[in-house]
Structure formats: C-alpha cells, structure tokens
Amino acid sequence: MSMSAADRHAWTEPAVEDLGGRVYRIPLPLEMDALRAVNVYAIADAEGVDLIDGGIALVAARQRLTDALAEIGYELGDIRNFFVTHIHADHYSLAVELRQTLHNVVTLGEGERANIAAMHEMARTGVNMMFGRDLLHRLGADELAGQVAVAGRDERSRHPTFPEWDEPDRWLADGTELDLRTRTLRAVHTPGHTQGHVVFHDAAAKTMFAGDHILPHITPSIGFEPARSRLALHDYLSSLHRMLALPDARLLPAHGPVTGSTHDRVNELLAHHDLRLAETRQAVQAGHATPYEAANAIRWTRHLRMFSELDTMSQFLATSETAAHLEVLAVRGELTRHLSQDGVDIYQVASPGTSPAAAD
C-alpha cells in the first residue's frame, strides 16, 4: 500500500481522537467491503456523554465503543442520548440494541418515519424493497437480479439480527434545538442520502456533525432506502445548497477524517454531480435509454472503472444512482421518461418545448 493510500484510511484506526471542547471522534469497525469504519462522536461533560450516531450492532463495535469510552473516563451506562443522523444500520442499530438494557434515549429525524414503516412491511411480507426484482426490472437491470439476491442473502447471513426497524424514542423535527450541557445543536433536515437524514450544527463552535450527507473522500449513495423516492438526488442537491446557506463549519463526517471546511466539500460534491449529470445526459443522447444501460456507459469511482469491473452491490448502487440522475434531468426538462410496455423506465433527450416530467 502506498503512503497516500495508507493516509487515506488512517481515520479508520481504532483510536480516540480528541477534537477539543470535550468532543471526541470514535471510529467503530464495520464488516463492509467498501467501508471499514463509521465515526461516532462523543460529546462529554462531568455527568455523562451524548453520542452523535451509534454504530452497527456487532460485538466488535460494541466492544470498541466500550473501550473508547473508558479511555475518556466513561462507560456505556453513562450514555444519555444517541442523536442518530439516519436509519442505516451502521448508524442506528447499535443505539437501538444498547437501549434495550441501558435505557438511553434514541432520536431520529422525523423524515425517517416512512423508512421505519417500510422496514416493518419488509419484515411482515419478506419482500425486499431495497433491491427487489420489481425495482431492478424497472431500472432495466433484470440480469442483476439474481446476483443481487445472492449478495443480499449473504449480507443477511452475516448480520441476521439487526433491530434497525425499531422506532426511536424521539422524532426530531427540522430546526429542533438540542440543549446539551456544554453546547446547543440544531437538527437540520438534509434529505437525499435517505429521506430523513439530519445533520447537527453547532453554530457557536462552528462545527457540523454531518453524518453521511457530506463525506470528505467519497460521494454518498443517494436514496438507498426501503421507502424509495424518485426525487432523492433532487432533494440531495437542495440539501447541499442548504449547507452553503449556513455559516461555514468544521466538517465532522461519519466516514472519513475531520476536515476544515464544510463549504469546500459541498462545492466539490455539487461539481461532481454537475459532471455526472452531463455524463448521464450524454449516455442517453448516445442511445442508452434505461438506467442500467446508462450506468454501463459511465465510468465509476475515482479510479474511473468500467461498470463491469464493479462488484454486484456496487453495480446495483451505480444503476440506482444513475436512475436518480436521470430523474433530475427529467425534472429539469432535459430528458423525458416513459414506461415501456413491459414496465421499464425509458429516457430520451427532450424535444424543445417538452414539459418537465412529474415524479410518480
């Protein structure tokens, strides 16, 4: 591994980082190919500790959190609150698991109500709404369906008991102010990565606990959730612009190192999506009409890999995100969308004067 590659992953090492003001970054391990750790942030005072995000419900993550808290003088029973940025298991499931015995309070943005309801429905019916065959068919990705089903079964076999569908103790409305003992955090609704994603802004300390909304090294996946929305990328871009309307702040992300400027990274993400939108439009102009076809025509990751070089789940995510970019172009009136006779989304370059598409 080169030094630059080593530096890129240094943030995942199991060490507590003191960020000043009794705020600590605690990376917890993940068993994911693409992501090695998730940052949990501890805000401490003389009486206890509040956590931004909770990590994943794995024995190794629970033990690492226990050890990290001990390093700064606390134990699991001293956790008062988990302020969770969104519903994904690597942020939510350990918080819910610990609540069963420790009785701490778990909060979640109220926009995640639809995803909680969808998870209940998935548990009731056994139908996978995250990447089921119906969705893959609509994206024109039937040939991926079998591979995705196998990958999904493998993932469930490794993590069969995530309690991620349980409801939080408290739903946070946009703009809710959380008066902690040492600071005030404001919950800001930032849909896109999921419908109910929130970030926590500490204006006085010029700090942004950004969850997966703004990541320093990678672009967040868009709309990977059971209650799917065609407008996930449209919402995400609006949420990025909302960050620029706030004062700049130090970026404390869920994956990656702490960096100096939220605004700098937001501008990079906006530029990335502008480029991806242009590439997606060019793919359609070249005759790639379905999300799957268009995704195959685009290069992926910072290494500019061919679609065929990606693993199965990355191919699904690439197809899903291409669909999100296609929908933004349709809403802007640059493309049209119609449903083929067999139920596949078909996109074409819009003729002059064509009305923008309505999401359904």
Side-chain angles (χ1 to χ4, degrees):
M1 181 183 292
S2 68
M3 181 61 69
S4 60
D7 291 345
R8 188 178 180 86
H9 295 292
W11 70 273
T12 66
E13 295 299 318
V16 176
E17 181 181 4
D18 187 344
L19 300 177
R22 301 198 74 180
V23 177
Y24 304 90
R25 184 182 68 86
I26 303 173
L28 300 183
L30 298 175
E31 292 183 354
M32 299 181 184
D33 293 335
L35 291 175
R36 302 182 183 186
V38 59
N39 291 325
V40 169
Y41 293 94
I43 302 172
D45 59 55
E47 298 179 23
V49 63
D50 300 302
L51 298 187
I52 307 294
D53 281 327
I56 198 164
L58 294 174
V59 171
R62 180 173 180 150
Q63 186 59 53
R64 180 60 204 139
L65 179 60
T66 302
D67 294 344
L69 288 175
E71 288 181 41
I72 60 174
Y74 300 90
E75 55 189 34
L76 292 179
D78 294 319
I79 301 171
R80 292 179 296 241
N81 292 285
F82 286 98
F83 299 116
V84 182
T85 58
H86 63 293
I87 194 66
H88 286 161
D90 55 322
H91 298 256
Y92 188 56
S93 59
L94 183 56
V96 176
E97 179 182 274
L98 291 174
R99 179 181 63 180
Q100 296 173 4
T101 54
L102 300 179
H103 310 295
N104 29 52
V105 176
V106 177
T107 68
L108 195 63
E110 64 180 3
E112 296 289 38
R113 289 180 187 271
N115 278 320
I116 288 286
M119 286 177 173
H120 281 297
E121 184 68 8
M122 285 170 61
R124 186 183 68 81
T125 64
V127 176
N128 193 325
M129 299 160 69
M130 299 282 278
F131 32 74
R133 287 185 177 273
D134 288 348
L135 170 63
L136 288 163
H137 178 71
R138 181 170 63 78
L139 299 179
D142 285 331
E143 63 188 84
L144 263 184
Q147 301 169 53
V148 168
V150 170
R153 282 197 299 271
D154 290 345
E155 184 68 18
R156 288 193 298 277
S157 70
R158 290 201 300 267
H159 313 305
T161 58
F162 286 159
E164 58 187 316
W165 49 86
D166 289 351
E167 293 194 1
D169 300 290
R170 181 186 180 192
W171 295 103
L172 290 179
D174 183 31
T176 299
E177 291 197 346
L178 305 169
D179 293 321
L180 310 186
R181 288 163 173 77
T182 60
R183 65 194 62 234
T184 298
L185 303 181
R186 182 168 178 259
V188 182
H189 187 208
T190 51
H193 181 62
T194 67
Q195 291 187 41
H197 194 289
V198 295
V199 301
F200 297 99
H201 183 217
D202 182 344
K206 298 181 180 179
T207 297
M208 182 69 72
F209 298 93
D212 282 3
H213 180 51
I214 307 164
L215 302 176
H217 288 164
I218 58 177
T219 57
S221 62
I222 302 301
F224 183 56
E225 55 194 332
R228 299 181 69 89
S229 168
R230 283 190 183 271
L231 294 179
L233 180 60
H234 178 275
D235 293 342
Y236 179 67
L237 296 176
S238 296
S239 296
L240 287 179
H241 283 290
R242 190 174 190 191
M243 297 296 94
L244 295 179
L246 296 172
D248 199 7
R250 183 167 57 156
L251 175 62
L252 277 58
H255 306 284
V258 172
T259 60
S261 171
T262 295
H263 284 187
D264 286 352
R265 183 53 179 159
V266 166
N267 284 320
E268 291 174 355
L269 289 167
L270 288 169
H272 163 79
H273 284 290
D274 283 344
L275 176 61
R276 184 62 84 201
L277 286 164
E279 292 171 340
T280 304
R281 189 184 189 283
Q282 289 169 4
V284 174
Q285 198 160 15
H288 305 287
T290 71
Y292 184 66
E293 291 173 355
N296 270 272
I298 295 170
R299 295 297 184 106
W300 294 95
T301 79
R302 62 192 177 89
H303 300 293
L304 300 179
R305 290 194 171 99
M306 299 285 289
F307 183 88
S308 60
E309 297 178 274
L310 303 177
D311 63 72
T312 296
M313 290 310 298
S314 295
Q315 287 187 4
F316 166 75
L317 290 172
T319 302
S320 180
E321 292 184 27
T322 299
H325 284 83
L326 289 165
E327 196 60 28
V328 167
L329 292 168
V331 169
R332 292 179 178 179
E334 297 182 43
L335 301 180
T336 61
R337 167 175 46 83
H338 71 273
L339 204 62
S340 71
Q341 287 186 344
D342 60 347
V344 177
D345 284 341
I346 302 295
Y347 292 84
Q348 295 175 307
V349 175
S351 302
T354 302
S355 299
D360 51 24

